[in-house]
Amino acid sequence: MKYDFTTIMNRHGMDAIAVDAVGSEMGGAPHAPKDGFDVIPMWVADMNFATVPTVQEAVIERAKHPAFGYFIPTEEYYQSIIRWQETRNGVKGLTRESIGYENGVLGCVVSALTAFAAPGDKILLHSPTYIGFTYSIENSGYKIIHSPLKQDENHVWRMDYDDMDRKLKENHIHVAVFCSPHNPCGRVWEQWEIEKAMEIYRDNDCVVISDEIWSDIILNGNKHIPTQSVSEDARNRTIAVYAPSKTFNLAGLVGSYHIIYSKYLKDRVDANGSKSHYNNMNVLSMHALIGAYRQEGYEWVDELCQVLGKNVNYAWDYIQENFKGVQVSKPEGTYMLFLDCSQWCKSKGITIDELLKAGWDVGVAWQDGRSFHGPWAIRMNLALPFSRVQEAFERLQKYVFKI
Ligand SMILES: Cc1ncc(COP(=O)(O)O)c(C=O)c1O
């Protein structure tokens, strides 16, 4: 490997919730481990890898210049995105007119909702559901209607198209949030699945906010299909949202972007995002994106996906062999495992709280999956050096699933 995915980074005191909020009062934070165990951060969705060096180079280079006045995004910024989308996702014909800055993907989700739905309106989402959607959508006054994903006979999470159609109709819904790849289930939707979903959205006159923040983290030979690519109609009814933040560990710099081809949709989203003057880019975040999307970034992400693929395969095999009664669908993208511990807990007479705590006690800082709508679920972040993932699973085997 050209890049370093094995060094264990010390993030303490370096602005990292993942390690510094463990043992704090923060909602959902894992408890501190017992003496003798260090924390293995497996909850917050960021990575314990150093980002590609070109990010730091670009930010430092810009920071050497001692003025940080008002600015507009450079042509290089737009061209970096256009090149990235073309090379990684096969997107043709993207121009800067269709790209817009967003202060976070969730910020765009809410801007788009306010453009196409009124507070009190219902919005369709799949469940399990990323907790950030739940909070930002409900806190903004919208009601979420869930269409549950269902596991097929091979434990692959699938959309229930009839249920989606029925709920859109029954609830007069005209905006849906689609998560592709899906967090927390790790599905990388296939072309036919997206086509079918988009037909249902079309038939119900539904604007689609397609959150593709995970689209670069695709594992084990799977392929991301941009929602907008599946048909001309999908291209024109979709607000797609991307970011280098998940891919390159840049969430603390903030800097996402939308791609919207329909002039009507774009004008409405831009109007909401821009009028408050609350949605402006930070100059260092612009340079971070440009640094990330340099040639080195392409190689770095390829290596990252190999590392994550290995971690996921290891964890999945380990669970099949050692944690009988824990069920997990193998993620095709993202770096999240979504464990269903219902059988295991019931067979042992243990609550999910007790199981979570048993992991936290030995430093496995995993996350309560109930807030993602998995009643017996635990979410585990595998974006750590392999040695840490191994250590976590060995501790779970020795101290937790032995109970
Ligand atoms: C599906 C999904 N969307 C959005 C976000 C957050 O994006 P942002 O920090 O750009 O708002 C996350 C973070 O985990 C996520 O998993």
Side-chain angles (χ1 to χ4, degrees), residues 78 81-86 89 91-102 108 208-210 212 215 226-229 234-243 256-262 265-266 269-270 293:
Y78 290 106
I81 292 174
I82 291 167
R83 200 169 49 243
W84 185 265
Q85 289 293 338
E86 177 162 7
N89 290 334
V91 174
K92 297 263 186 290
L94 176 61
T95 61
R96 56 179 289 169
E97 287 68 38
S98 302
I99 301 170
Y101 173 75
E102 292 291 350
C108 180
V208 177
I209 303 168
S210 182
E212 301 183 34
S215 56
T227 302
Q228 288 165 328
S229 74
R235 184 180 164 92
N236 289 318
R237 73 171 58 253
T238 303
I239 295 156
V241 205
Y242 297 90
S256 310
Y257 59 92
H258 66 231
I259 297 179
I260 311 175
Y261 294 103
S262 149
L265 296 190
K266 175 123 173 81
V269 172
D270 281 345
Y293 285 0

Side-chain angles (χ1 to χ4, degrees), residues 30-90:
H31 297 180
K34 289 183 174 161
D35 286 349
F37 294 99
D38 63 342
V39 172
I40 305 178
M42 304 184 102
W43 59 304
V44 175
D46 63 18
M47 303 196 284
N48 296 278
F49 300 123
T51 190
V52 63
T54 47
V55 166
Q56 275 183 296
E57 284 161 24
V59 171
I60 291 168
E61 194 50 39
R62 175 60 187 83
K64 283 184 191 159
H65 180 80
F68 301 93
Y70 291 111
F71 76 105
I72 47 170
T74 59
E75 187 57 28
E76 195 184 2
Y77 169 79
Y78 290 106
Q79 288 309 322
S80 301
I81 292 174
I82 291 167
R83 200 169 49 243
W84 185 265
Q85 289 293 338
E86 177 162 7
T87 314
R88 311 270 338 163
N89 290 334

Side-chain angles (χ1 to χ4, degrees), residues 305-354:
C305 291
Q306 279 180 42
V307 169
L308 295 174
K310 180 178 166 195
N311 288 0
V312 161
N313 293 344
Y314 166 83
W316 192 80
D317 290 344
Y318 200 98
I319 292 166
Q320 308 308 307
E321 276 166 35
N322 299 291
F323 304 163
K324 299 286 174 234
V326 174
Q327 202 269 309
V328 62
S329 166
K330 194 182 211 175
E332 300 162 337
T334 81
Y335 44 72
M336 292 299 183
L337 280 188
F338 199 56
L339 311 180
D340 175 358
C341 304
S342 55
Q343 270 183 38
W344 189 86
C345 284
K346 285 172 191 166
S347 71
K348 306 284 175 190
I350 281 176
T351 65
I352 194 76
D353 286 309
E354 288 166 332

